[in-house]
Amino acid sequence: MRFVALATDYDGTLAHDGLVPARGVQALERFRASGRRLVLVTGRELDELLGIFPEIDRFDCVVAENGALLYFPASGERELLGDPPPPAFVAALQARGVPLAVGASIVATVEPHETAVLETISDLGLELQVIFNKGAVMVLPASVNKATGLAHALARMGLSRHNVAAIGDAENDHALLHAAEYGVAVANAIATLKDTADRTSEQARTDAVIELIDDILAHDLHEAPMPKRHRILLGHAQDGAPVHVDAYARALLIAGTSGSGKSTLATGVLERLCDQGYQFCVIDPEGDYEDFANGIVFGNGDRAPGADEVLTALEKPDANAIANLIALPLEDRPAFFLDLLPRLHALRARTGRPHWVLVDETHHLMPREFDAAPTILAQESSGMLYVTVHPEWMAPAVSRSLDAVAVLGASPAQALAAVALAADMAAPDADDETLPPGQALFWRLGDAAALPFAVVGPRAQRRRYRRKYAEGELTEDRSFWFRGPQGKLRLRARNLLEFLQIGEGVDDETWQHHLRAHDYSRWMRDFIKDPELGQDVARIEDEAALDAAESRRRVRATVQQRCTLPASG
């Protein structure tokens, strides 16, 4: 099972005019009956929602108040994720005659009262954010949105965002859709959400939710192309184009002679999986990955790992496991693998994880005479990463399961020919000269030729875009501050995700003020430490004819294209 949960917005998505039709409730019940989970993510106050949606118990969790409050219908438990509204802020708005709804953490009004809201935030020196939702104006603590609320819900439920599909319709759903592995905009969604969603449904509201549920139940979205933001980089071709595999590729083989750089490429792939939040398990016969910092190592030179302890660790979505088999006698390692792999597949069937399994020394763990290979690989086996020095010694079923091969070192054409022979395919055109260090050939099975590329290795060997800039918390002096032309505002963006979120909500005058001052590109260059991103945004800042809406769209698209935001990415 790949998508084990659905996160849906309420108004304008699941509901129409505040109500969910019977066919929508029936679709939710079918989804739950499949063993999957449901999360409702809404800007509404919880008590208001409970009064109009009696079938709320179909959901495992409700994220209310635009991310500020969790509610678990089965137990009635509530968990507040944001601070209560400052009383002085509420009183000041009431004194100005602003119509308000005050929740546990949210303060809501409607346009055109956003000007009064922003002025009051500035006058009181508060660190609050303003979020729009099709005419509604919501005020929340900084750093609280649908993405952060969903993250808390998934953590409580033991799920990964990479196994979640999400659907919405409005401005406040940008963060929700980007937080999920697959984001859908309903037909009645705002244009900017359609532009950034992974897919736009031809159906509106409830029918779009039903369509997405039916697609997940029918084929687990395997027939839906995954967005480019989920690709895993391997390196760059001679023209600079990225060479990558999809995050949900069935299988990738890294093959090469001893000392050719197989581990360098494999470790780089593992690092990029970590950066994007994908969970992995490494089967490590020779202890080559025992120093990898982003995984819990089970087993060492004196003690063999236990399959149970590996599987227990993987129950936590943010834990990666490395099974070091060096203490096992050589002849016992295939048996350990034969016991563990089907249990990993069973875990995947229940949780969708681990997303990737790396099998080092594949020719030993799954040799040519390995009779169980076809049966094991006939199970759910996407996200397999095989590493070997002898592709010609592997079980043919491994070669037949591959999407792509990366070869390094001596005789690369011979290695590709061995894989092609086992897979019953024509070998690709490829030079057989020894590849220099850092170079490899990439062959997507079925292509006529192999593509030379430069390997992107692990973090220690290159400058990388660091995740903290996308979702972490920069210090005050390194954050971006939306202040406006008169310096009346004080809205802090601690990272790129908050920058995009707050940038959507500020008034046009404030947005254009910072744009024309080149403040955005300067911050991205000097404090995000990404000169290329700063340069791209500077080009947008230089286009004097752009209005606020178009420049917002262009900046958002540029940041999202270069950076995998969490919600990358």
Side-chain angles (χ1 to χ4, degrees):
M1 191 184 298
R2 174 178 177 179
F3 286 92
V4 301
L6 171 68
T8 177
D9 172 49
Y10 189 74
D11 292 287
T13 304
L14 179 64
H16 181 44
D17 292 335
L19 300 177
V20 180
R23 66 184 186 279
V25 175
Q26 291 165 1
L28 297 176
E29 291 170 346
R30 287 191 287 109
F31 193 83
R32 281 285 298 275
S34 72
R36 293 174 168 89
R37 315 289 288 278
L38 285 168
V39 183
L40 183 62
V41 188
T42 176
R44 280 189 184 258
E45 295 172 49
L46 180 58
D47 290 337
E48 176 188 34
L49 186 65
L50 292 173
I52 62 174
F53 187 30
E55 299 88 358
I56 199 169
D57 60 354
R58 273 53 167 189
F59 285 87
D60 296 277
C61 182
V62 178
V63 180
E65 297 196 12
N66 212 69
L69 180 66
L70 294 188
Y71 172 67
F72 295 89
S75 64
E77 178 192 354
R78 302 186 184 203
E79 180 183 353
L80 186 62
L81 304 178
D83 294 330
F89 175 64
V90 175
L93 291 178
Q94 291 172 335
R96 297 183 66 159
V98 177
L100 295 179
V102 181
S105 186
I106 194 172
V107 175
T109 184
V110 294
E111 296 176 349
H113 297 285
E114 69 274 13
T115 300
V117 168
L118 288 168
E119 289 175 352
T120 303
I121 291 172
S122 176
D123 291 343
L124 296 177
L126 299 173
E127 195 169 338
L128 299 172
Q129 63 173 322
V130 179
I131 299 174
F132 293 86
N133 179 16
K134 285 189 171 180
V137 179
M138 298 177 288
V139 184
L140 286 157
S143 306
V144 172
N145 57 35
K146 286 191 173 184
T148 61
L150 177 65
H152 281 283
L154 295 178
R156 289 286 304 271
M157 298 165 69
L159 300 177
S160 164
R161 67 183 180 88
H162 289 297
N163 300 105
V164 178
I167 185 166
D169 76 307
E171 295 95 324
N172 61 333
D173 291 317
H174 279 290
L176 171 64
L177 267 58
H178 200 84
E181 187 75 353
Y182 193 76
V184 178
V186 296
N188 53 292
I190 61 171
T192 54
L193 192 69
K194 292 179 179 180
D195 289 341
T196 58
D198 299 320
R199 163 176 137 193
T200 296
S201 175
E202 295 183 0
Q203 306 296 321
R205 303 179 183 87
T206 310
D207 292 326
V209 178
I210 294 172
E211 177 189 66
L212 179 56
I213 285 175
D214 288 342
D215 285 350
I216 293 174
L217 295 180
H219 50 74
D220 209 24
L221 296 185
H222 281 291
E223 296 181 10
M226 281 295 102
K228 293 181 180 179
R229 62 190 174 104
H230 298 315
R231 291 175 172 174
I232 306 300
L233 183 70
L234 303 181
H236 295 94
Q238 293 173 343
D239 61 0
V243 176
H244 54 250
V245 293
D246 290 337
Y248 278 91
R250 188 178 182 196
L252 168 69
L253 171 67
I254 298 175
T257 48
S258 297
S260 61
K262 296 187 301 300
S263 294
T264 296
L265 176 53
T267 303
V269 169
L270 292 179
E271 282 191 352
R272 289 184 282 284
L273 290 172
C274 289
D275 288 345
Q276 295 192 39
Y278 290 101
Q279 187 185 58
F280 64 78
C281 177
V282 176
I283 315 300
D284 181 15
E286 299 295 335
D288 292 336
Y289 298 85
E290 62 181 358
D291 294 327
F292 188 67
N294 293 308
I296 304 171
V297 179
F298 297 95
N300 52 40
D302 300 318
R303 185 186 71 84
D308 288 341
E309 62 183 355
V310 172
L311 292 162
T312 299
L314 293 172
E315 287 287 346
K316 297 181 179 180
D318 57 352
N320 302 306
I322 300 172
N324 182 350
L325 311 186
I326 192 67
L328 281 174
L330 191 66
E331 63 274 13
D332 292 343
R333 295 173 190 174
F336 176 90
F337 174 73
L338 185 59
D339 172 60
L340 179 61
L341 187 59
R343 297 176 67 182
L344 290 174
H345 288 330
L347 179 62
R348 279 179 165 179
R350 179 167 56 85
T351 68
R353 310 185 320 270
H355 303 110
W356 281 80
V357 177
L358 187 154
V359 184
D360 203 6
E361 304 290 336
T362 307
H363 62 280
H364 175 58
L365 296 180
M366 303 181 77
R368 196 161 38 202
E369 63 276 8
F370 186 46
D371 295 336
T375 302
I376 291 177
L377 297 182
Q379 303 178 45
E380 175 61 42
S381 58
S382 63
M384 298 297 296
L385 176 56
Y386 301 106
V387 182
T388 183
V389 69
H390 291 297
E392 71 278 9
W393 293 358
M394 298 187 312
V398 174
S399 294
R400 289 194 292 269
S401 74
L402 297 174
D403 291 314
V405 183
V407 295
L408 307 93
S411 306
Q414 291 184 36
L416 290 173
V419 173
L421 178 64
D424 298 322
M425 289 187 174
D429 292 335
D431 195 321
D432 205 38
E433 292 186 6
T434 298
L435 293 164
Q439 298 295 311
L441 294 179
F442 179 77
W443 178 46
R444 202 175 296 279
L445 270 70
D447 286 357
L451 175 70
F453 74 97
V455 170
V456 176
R459 183 175 290 108
Q461 298 183 12
R462 62 187 178 90
R463 172 196 169 287
R464 297 202 44 193
Y465 181 84
R466 288 186 286 173
R467 164 168 281 206
K468 71 176 182 180
Y469 296 136
E471 62 177 328
E473 182 171 334
L474 296 176
T475 58
E476 287 195 15
D477 60 331
R478 302 181 69 83
S479 298
F480 187 90
W481 292 89
F482 288 91
R483 301 186 187 276
Q486 284 81 44
K488 292 184 177 180
L489 299 180
R490 185 177 167 79
L491 302 177
R492 176 186 175 189
R494 297 173 174 85
N495 52 52
L496 279 169
L497 184 63
E498 287 187 13
F499 168 80
L500 295 182
Q501 178 75 36
I502 297 173
E504 287 284 333
V506 297
D507 59 280
D508 289 354
E509 184 181 22
T510 295
W511 174 263
Q512 293 291 77
H513 165 74
H514 291 292
L515 185 86
R516 298 305 172 216
H518 285 67
D519 290 341
Y520 303 140
S521 60
R522 187 178 304 112
W523 178 65
M524 293 170 186
R525 183 185 64 243
D526 296 341
F527 297 111
I528 296 298
K529 302 296 184 182
D530 193 331
E532 291 84 5
L533 177 60
Q535 186 177 44
D536 291 344
V537 171
R539 294 191 185 100
I540 301 171
E541 294 169 331
D542 288 336
E543 296 189 41
L546 291 180
D547 61 19
E550 179 61 12
S551 61
R552 273 189 176 98
R553 187 192 70 77
R554 295 266 296 274
V555 169
R556 171 180 282 277
T558 299
V559 172
Q560 290 179 333
Q561 183 178 13
R562 285 192 57 85
C563 311
T564 300
L565 294 178
S568 34

